[in-house]
Structures are given as structure tokens and as C-alpha cells.
Amino acid sequence: VLTPSDYGLVAIASTFIGFVTMINEFGLGMAVVTKRDLEEQQISQLNSLAVLLGVVGFVVSCALAIPVSRFFEASELTWVLITMGASFLIGAFRTVPSAILEKELEFKLLAMIEGGQAIVASLCVVALALLGWGYWALVVGMVTGTVAWTLLTLVHRTQTFRWPVLRSLTHTVMFSWHLIVMRVSSYVTTNADRFIVGKILGQAALGSYSFACTLASVPTEKVTGLVNRVTPAFFSAMQTDFASLRRYILNLTEGLAMVTFPATTGLALVADDFVMVLLGDQWKDVVVPLQILACYGAFRSMMTLLSPILLVTGLSRLGMLNAFWCVAAFLPAFYVGSRWGIIGVAVSWMVAHPFVTIPLYSKVFRHIGLPAGAYLRALWPAVSACLVMTATVLLLKQVLPIEWPLLAHLVTLGIAGAVTYLLAAWMFHRARVMAFVELLRTLRSQPSQKVCP
């Protein structure tokens, strides 16, 4: 129902809003989760500080709405930015309560809350799109989802307010400062591609590219989001126990790869049929960037575990420096890649990625005493099973009757790929699969018992 231009307009607004969001939140939620010595009055002060920052974020979005819309030569952006800016104030009331629930290991409750938010937002977008609201369907859906998320959180956990006294929050604010610099630099890197595409290649190209990014992240988004939510609290309990930390990192890496690698690889293999069947011919430009970004997403998902490790082991400064290096490496890569359109920008991720991740992995592994060979062996079950799946799907593409409907092709390839991967993983890595299942059972039982690993 919606067009690439609709998504392009909202993608521009989302890039700006997301940037202000990270500055606005100032890493207070992660500070509450990670810092285990915070007193009740300090948490109340952080809660008040979060709301004050929410007010500032809303004011900033209103003040910059007109300049940003003029920069992108899109007058519609003005009211879109103001409307989306209301999310700052609304979401600020859930920052600390949500972090407390996370610190208390209430992951099942948090998952239900976020699931409810996603359902409300999705239903709102679909309903308004069908009513002909255009890009406003996306905007109102996002704000409605934020309202639902905040209300559901406050129903289950509230927190008192106290006027912030910076003297009592010195260490927490310093940690937040390191974290926010790292997040801002990382955010600039991960959104610079959309900025360059929108400015150089135009709104329609940005719509296609941003939609390809969205589709490529679907197979891993919820999995990596869950890992990001769970691991800081667990790793925080093992800050000085590097042996346990190494064991959990290897097990989680192996399990995360076994889930994300086949999902992203499978999407890349069937992207052409998938786009044509579900989206139509007007989105054909999405196919190749989607294939590239899906393959890249498999390895990018492994970075999910690095961030909490940096924070809980005192390496936040290293993470900040690496984020600066990412900005210096990726921005020129995106600009050069834009000469070949959105395909070139997608390829830029694959080209620049090794230069920024290998040094970081090397330093982190040395710090916690984790051999690189052990880490690569943890990835091998997923990689080897994906190779078997890839060979099977590519062979089927050659032998399936060309006169079959695209939907039949898509369903056949999808089922064949999934079955092949599962069989290969079970036949060649049965012990590792069972170990991962047991790890999931352990993680599932511990939160409900409030027991640290």
C-alpha cells in the first residue's frame, strides 16, 4: 500500500530522531543495569534525570524540525519530526523502570511488554495505511507503539522521583558519558549509509535501500535484541570471573550463530523470489542490496556479544575508540560505494567490516584470555551446516521447472533449505546442538529463580 517515497521520508526522520534519542537517554538505562552498587535514592535521581532529558529531546526535535526539512528539501518533514519527537518525552518515563526490570532478570515480562508494543504499533500502521494516511501511518504507528510500551512498563514497575544531585551520581554519569560517546559514534556509522543514499541518490533510492536494510535485519532483529537485553545483566554478575565469562561467550556465540546464520543465508538465497512474491515488481531494486546485506547481517550479529563484554570488563574506553575508528572507516566507504548506487553502498559494509572488527576482537580476546581458535570453532557448526544448505538451494534453483509459479519456487526452496540445514547440523554437530538446547534451558530457569549464572 505504501510507496518507496513514503518509507524514504520516514527513514530520513527516523535517522534524525534515533540520533537524538541516544543522546537524550544518555545511557542511563544501561548504567542502572550494569552498576550493581546504586542506592535507591540514586536510582530515583536517575529517573528524574531521564524525564528531564526527555523534555530536552522533545524541545530539540521541535527546534530542528524546520532546518532539517529544509536541508533535505522535504517540507513534510517538519511536522513529522515534531510528532515523532513526542516519543522522547513519552519514552523517558519508562527508561529507568524498564532497566530495573532488566536488572531483576524479568526477561519474560519484558519480552511480553515489547511484544505487545510491536503488535499495537503494527496494527496501527496497517489500519492507517489502508485508510490512505500514507507516510503518516508509519509516523503515528511509531508514536502509538511508544505510548503502549511506556504504559505497559509502568503498569508492572514504577519508580519514585528525586531531584538529581550530580555529586552523588559522579561515577554513574562518567560511565554514561563513555557509553553515550560510544553509542553516538556507532549510530553515526550505522546510519551514515542512509544519509549518503538520501542526499546523493535521492528519496526513492533511500526508500528502496532502507527497506532492504529492514528486511535484512528481520531474521536477526528479535534474536539479537533478546541477546542485547539479557547479556548485560548476566555478564555483569561475572565481571571478575573470566573463566565463566569465556564459557558463556563461546556457548552463546555458537548458539547465536546456529540461529542467525541460516536465517540470513536463507533470506539471501531466496531474496529474488521473496521480493517478487511479497512486494511486487516495483520493489525489484531491493533484491541485490537485500542479498548483500543479509549475508553481512550474519556476521554483524556476532558483534552483539561484544558490547556488553566491553561494558562489564572495564573496556568501555576501548569500545569508544573503536566506534571512532568505525566512523573514520565506514563513511568514506559509503561515499565511494554510492558511485555504484545502493548496491555499492551495501557492498561497502562487507569491505570495511574486517578493518574495524578484527583489531577489536583481538584486544578483547586477549583481555579475557579467550583464544581466537576457540571462538572460530564455536562458529563452525553453523558455518558448515549453512554451506550444505547453500549448495542444496543453489542446486534446486537449477533443476526446478521454470514454469512453476514464483510462490511455489519460494516455498519449495525455503522448506528444502530449512530441512537441509537442520539435518546437517544434527548429523555433524549433534552434541553441540544438544549443548545449546541445554544452555537455553539453564538461561530460562535462572531468571525465574533470580539466580545469577
Side-chain angles (χ1 to χ4, degrees):
V1 177
L2 301 178
T3 67
S5 295
D6 291 330
Y7 276 91
L9 182 69
V10 176
I12 294 173
S14 298
T15 300
F16 169 77
I17 292 294
F19 179 77
V20 179
T21 297
M22 280 197 303
I23 300 176
N24 177 69
E25 194 265 347
F26 204 70
L28 298 181
M30 183 59 69
V32 171
V33 173
T34 306
K35 296 293 183 179
R36 309 190 69 85
D37 56 350
L38 289 175
E39 299 178 357
E40 180 65 24
Q41 63 174 358
Q42 291 175 309
I43 296 177
S44 297
Q45 293 177 33
L46 291 174
N47 194 30
S48 300
L49 183 58
V51 174
L52 291 174
L53 291 173
V55 175
V56 173
F58 177 63
V59 173
V60 169
S61 65
C62 292
L64 296 181
I66 294 178
V68 171
S69 63
R70 288 178 177 174
F71 178 81
F72 284 100
E73 300 177 355
S75 59
E76 305 94 330
L77 268 179
T78 301
W79 285 106
V80 169
L81 288 171
I82 293 174
T83 304
M84 294 177 67
S87 298
F88 294 135
L89 184 55
I90 299 169
F93 286 91
R94 78 162 187 273
T95 298
V96 171
S98 181
I100 295 174
L101 288 175
E102 182 176 342
K103 191 172 187 175
E104 295 173 348
L105 306 180
E106 295 286 355
F107 301 121
K108 183 181 295 186
L109 174 59
L110 288 168
M112 293 175 63
I113 291 174
E114 294 182 18
Q117 174 264 337
I119 292 172
V120 171
S122 300
L123 291 176
C124 182
V125 170
V126 172
L128 294 179
L130 293 175
L131 291 174
W133 282 45
Y135 59 84
W136 278 111
L138 299 170
V139 176
V140 176
M142 291 179 183
V143 176
T144 303
T146 301
V147 172
W149 194 351
T150 301
L151 291 177
L152 289 172
T153 301
L154 295 180
V155 164
H156 293 89
R157 186 62 161 89
T158 57
Q159 178 62 39
T160 58
F161 295 91
R162 292 176 67 99
W163 187 254
V165 180
L166 294 181
R167 185 175 61 257
S168 67
L169 300 176
T170 301
H171 296 293
T172 304
V173 171
M174 184 60 66
F175 172 85
S176 298
W177 170 250
H178 291 159
L179 179 59
I180 198 60
V181 172
M182 183 170 65
R183 283 183 175 179
V184 169
S185 300
S186 178
Y187 186 82
V188 170
T189 300
T190 54
N191 287 276
D193 54 345
R194 292 176 174 85
F195 177 85
I196 290 174
V197 170
K199 188 63 179 175
I200 296 178
L201 302 179
Q203 186 170 309
L206 176 59
S208 297
Y209 180 80
S210 63
F211 206 85
C213 292
T214 300
L215 289 177
S217 67
V218 167
T220 61
E221 184 180 35
K222 292 304 177 184
V223 177
T224 56
L226 177 61
V227 172
N228 278 327
R229 173 57 58 85
V230 173
T231 50
F234 276 118
F235 288 171
S236 178
M238 297 180 284
Q239 292 179 352
T240 58
D241 186 0
F242 282 1
S244 297
L245 189 62
R246 290 192 298 270
R247 184 175 69 254
Y248 269 83
I249 290 171
L250 290 176
N251 288 337
L252 288 173
T253 295
E254 185 174 74
L256 187 61
M258 292 179 69
V259 174
T260 59
F261 279 25
T264 53
T265 303
L267 178 59
L269 290 171
V270 301
D272 47 356
D273 290 338
F274 179 82
V275 171
M276 292 299 128
V277 170
L278 298 182
L279 301 177
D281 188 64
Q282 66 171 334
W283 290 95
K284 63 182 178 180
D285 292 340
V286 169
V287 174
V288 177
L290 173 58
Q291 292 174 319
I292 298 170
L293 292 170
C295 292
Y296 171 69
F299 297 96
R300 188 173 181 177
S301 64
M302 295 297 99
M303 298 288 291
T304 303
L305 297 175
L306 275 186
S307 179
I309 296 172
L310 292 169
L311 296 178
V312 303
T313 57
L315 296 177
S316 57
R317 183 174 180 274
L318 174 62
M320 181 175 60
L321 294 176
N322 181 260
F324 285 140
W325 171 230
C326 287
V327 173
F330 278 110
L331 263 64
F334 295 147
Y335 180 77
V336 173
S338 66
R339 297 170 180 259
W340 290 272
I342 59 177
I343 295 176
V345 176
V347 171
S348 300
W349 283 106
M350 303 285 285
V351 173
H353 185 80
F355 294 98
V356 299
T357 56
I358 292 178
L360 181 62
Y361 269 107
S362 177
K363 292 178 181 178
V364 171
F365 286 175
R366 284 202 304 268
H367 182 74
I368 64 175
L370 177 61
Y375 183 82
L376 294 176
R377 285 193 295 272
L379 296 176
W380 175 241
V383 172
S384 59
C386 280
L387 290 175
V388 176
M389 179 184 71
T390 300
T392 301
V393 173
L394 291 179
L395 178 62
L396 272 178
K397 279 191 169 186
Q398 301 299 318
V399 301
L400 286 178
I402 194 172
E403 63 272 12
W404 276 21
L406 287 177
L407 180 59
H409 271 263
L410 177 62
V411 172
T412 302
L413 294 175
I415 294 175
V419 171
T420 302
Y421 176 81
L422 293 174
L423 287 176
W426 184 254
M427 289 176 60
F428 303 123
H429 308 286
R430 182 178 305 180
R432 301 311 308 153
V433 172
M434 296 303 299
F436 176 57
V437 172
E438 184 60 30
L439 175 64
L440 291 180
R441 291 174 179 171
T442 302
L443 292 176
R444 182 180 179 182
S445 63
Q446 286 173 337
S448 61
Q449 300 169 8
K450 301 296 185 295
V451 177
C452 294

